[in-house]
Amino acid sequence: MNSTGFVTIFKKAISRVFLLYLILYCIPFPLNVLPSGLGAFFSKVVASFWQWLTPLLAENLMGYKGELSFNGRGSGDTLYDFLVVPTRFCCALVLLFVWSLYDKFRKSDTKIWHAVIVLFRYYLAFFMFTYGFVKVFYLQFPELSLMNLTGSYGDSSPMGLLWKFMGHSEAYSIFTGMMEVFGGVFLLFRRTKTLGALITFGIMLNVFLLNMSFDVPAKLFSFHLLVFALLISLTDAKNIVNFFFRNKPTEPVSIKPYFINTKKKWLGHLLKGALIFLILFANLSRKLKNQKKYGKYVPKHVLYGIYDVQHYIINGDTLPPLTTDTDQWKQLIVDKRSSLLLKMNGKRVGMQHQIDSLNNTITLTPFVDEEREYTFNYTIRNSLLFLTENKGKDVLLISATKREREDFFLINRGFHWINEFPMNR
């Protein structure tokens, strides 16, 4: 075999390894559209396989001897996630060997690539819908909570700062979500797949850079989505280059039907319609439900507000507001789903609250063990809150003035067409 033949085989081998890796990456996608019980079962099987193989290869091939955590609690950039990447490439090399035994690199991969691009299109569309609708329904970047408004910029993480910035504007959140949804819709059809891929590539490039710039632990995932969008775009690379860079006419792409038989055509349309319906229904129903559970439609309870402590009284003695006091309260924030206690020494304690509006009681349970639980009877008079706790002979009485969410300038500033000077403070 001459050198040209070796180069051809080498290029084809690299192409196939890349293809097989991406297919392995996409395997969980079909499981997402299965009924919840069935999808969860097969997803667990796939996850268990990688959780078994990755530590094995990490120890024997990569020399890693430590423990791996499989629960990133929402992080997609754990050490395990990074080690899964070379593990998938190793599996792709094994599959490449089997594939090469079958055809010895003689057959063209064009038809296979065309079929796999369809998988990539639906995979990418699925996540464009998932992340698009979660923004449209104002869930991924929710409105600023009372805790967000009372915190400082300096105490925010880079990711937290990004979430607060995006969450301030519902209109911008909806706009970015709709762009992702549009990209997903265009990806579903061959006539518009190039437009969908270009829109999605631009969106995902921005998302990837935001993840890199604000340390959002979704760098690996967003990079893969960016690669999928790029690959789909490259299927029409000649026309893209001619149209955008060479000022030359484009050539129409021949779109042949998958089936010639009329019944098979209708069956294909029916299956495609059912798949699209399942994807959209799963997204929309879940987002509507979550909007009432976690989003802006969560009802505000009677104690919702920010309370600045005016008097902290124990057994009739009013304690002076000393910044060295580790027990005395400075502020209590009762948000929709949890509370935050700010002490005089600056310590912030997250609390789970249970409010009984019939008996006028509130129970504050700390998320950390070293803080104690409080059970108060509460009374509200105008903008004043009185909390009373009786523990044997000890009586704790707290009086606080209430501040509303709308009292913050960031909330009440509003929108202005005309600005005589920039309000940048």
Side-chain angles (χ1 to χ4, degrees), residues 249-263:
T250 60
E251 299 176 1
V253 178
S254 176
I255 300 177
K256 298 179 181 179
Y258 292 122
F259 305 105
I260 299 176
N261 184 282
T262 304
K263 289 184 179 180

Side-chain angles (χ1 to χ4, degrees), residues 159-380:
M159 177 179 173
L161 184 62
L162 174 62
W163 252 243
K164 295 178 184 68
F165 159 71
M166 292 291 295
H168 173 65
S169 174
E170 182 177 4
Y172 186 66
S173 177
I174 292 173
F175 167 75
T176 56
M178 288 304 300
M179 292 303 295
E180 291 180 356
V181 170
F182 286 150
V185 170
F186 291 136
L187 283 168
L188 294 174
F189 306 97
R190 284 184 290 172
R191 294 181 185 276
T192 57
K193 68 176 178 62
T194 301
L195 175 60
L198 291 174
I199 291 174
T200 304
F201 179 80
I203 291 169
M204 290 314 305
L205 179 60
N206 180 57
V207 170
F208 176 67
L209 289 175
L210 284 173
N211 291 341
M212 294 294 290
S213 303
F214 288 85
D215 195 29
V216 180
K219 306 173 190 72
L220 273 175
F221 181 59
S222 58
F223 176 75
H224 280 82
L225 294 185
L226 183 65
V227 170
F228 287 127
L230 178 62
L231 285 176
I232 298 168
S233 302
L234 291 177
T235 60
D236 203 14
K238 183 178 179 181
N239 280 337
I240 292 174
V241 171
N242 284 340
F243 182 82
F244 287 104
F245 301 104
R246 303 182 67 185
N247 195 28
K248 288 186 175 182
T250 60
E251 299 176 1
V253 178
S254 176
I255 300 177
K256 298 179 181 179
Y258 292 122
F259 305 105
I260 299 176
N261 184 282
T262 304
K263 289 184 179 180
K264 290 183 178 180
K265 279 185 181 180
W266 280 106
L267 180 61
H269 292 321
L270 184 63
L271 290 174
K272 180 173 183 173
L275 178 60
I276 294 173
F277 174 79
L278 283 173
I279 293 173
L280 292 176
F281 178 78
N283 269 288
L284 291 173
S285 61
R286 194 180 298 120
K287 301 305 183 291
L288 285 169
K289 189 182 297 182
N290 287 345
Q291 205 172 36
K292 297 177 182 178
K293 192 174 181 180
Y294 306 109
K296 65 178 183 178
Y297 293 124
V298 175
K300 296 178 182 178
H301 48 75
V302 65
L303 293 181
Y304 176 81
I306 301 166
Y307 299 92
D308 296 316
V309 175
Q310 301 299 315
H311 301 96
Y312 193 86
I313 304 169
I314 298 180
N315 296 329
D317 294 329
T318 301
L319 301 185
L322 301 177
T323 57
T324 56
D325 196 324
T326 59
D327 294 322
Q328 190 176 166
W329 295 13
K330 181 179 182 181
Q331 190 179 70
L332 174 65
I333 303 166
V334 188
D335 222 319
K336 289 182 179 180
R337 300 176 57 222
S338 62
S339 296
L340 180 70
L341 172 60
L342 178 63
K343 296 191 175 184
M344 287 299 299
N345 64 349
K347 186 176 182 179
R348 297 163 69 90
V349 182
M351 296 275 193
Q352 178 183 356
H353 63 235
Q354 290 183 337
I355 300 171
D356 184 349
S357 57
L358 294 178
N359 297 312
N360 286 9
T361 62
I362 177 173
T363 301
L364 298 170
T365 306
F367 292 117
V368 292
D369 295 334
E370 59 264 23
E371 296 292 332
R372 80 175 184 90
E373 181 179 275
Y374 297 89
T375 300
F376 292 104
N377 292 100
Y378 69 82
T379 305
I380 302 174

Side-chain angles (χ1 to χ4, degrees), residues 144 149 168-171 405-419 421-425:
L144 296 177
L149 292 170
H168 173 65
S169 174
E170 182 177 4
R405 186 174 188 272
E406 291 71 20
D407 293 338
F408 288 88
F409 183 69
L410 181 62
I411 303 302
N412 63 42
R413 162 66 180 168
F415 174 81
H416 301 78
W417 282 109
I418 298 175
N419 290 274
F421 58 91
M423 181 55 69
N424 183 12
R425 74 181 208 187

